[in-house]
Amino acid sequence: MRCPRCEKEFVFEFQSLQHWLKASKLDNSQLSFLLYNYGSPLCEECENDLRDSFYVSGISPYRCQSVKRKG
């Protein structure tokens, strides 16, 4: 599988998207942002970057107008 954010190949180790959602360390806002903007799971490195930087600015990118949907 190719990461939709960084384009790196990675192995999706879950049987289904539902299993990945249950195991994810992202909260609901982060998951919503990820699925809306990328449409599929990210590689572990990109998922960690998203989780660690999501609330840094004090403004959720989910609510920000400048975020452009990829695709």
Side-chain angles (χ1 to χ4, degrees):
M1 175 177 239
R2 187 175 293 274
C3 177
R5 183 172 179 246
C6 70
E7 302 293 323
K8 181 176 81 174
E9 288 289 330
F10 73 102
V11 177
F12 186 66
E13 299 174 354
F14 298 95
Q15 295 174 349
S16 70
L17 189 59
Q18 288 181 325
H19 286 103
W20 170 74
L21 289 171
K22 281 184 164 181
S24 177
K25 295 175 182 158
L26 302 174
D27 65 27
N28 287 340
S29 294
Q30 294 164 334
L31 285 169
S32 296
F33 175 81
L34 185 154
L35 292 173
Y36 179 79
N37 288 284
Y38 298 106
S40 66
L42 303 178
C43 67
E44 185 175 358
E45 185 177 309
C46 288
E47 185 176 317
N48 289 337
D49 287 346
L50 175 69
R51 185 185 69 237
D52 295 342
S53 64
F54 194 77
Y55 296 110
V56 170
S57 69
I59 300 172
S60 169
Y62 186 68
R63 305 265 185 230
C64 183
Q65 295 291 351
S66 64
V67 173
K68 294 186 176 150
R69 186 173 183 185
K70 198 169 187 178

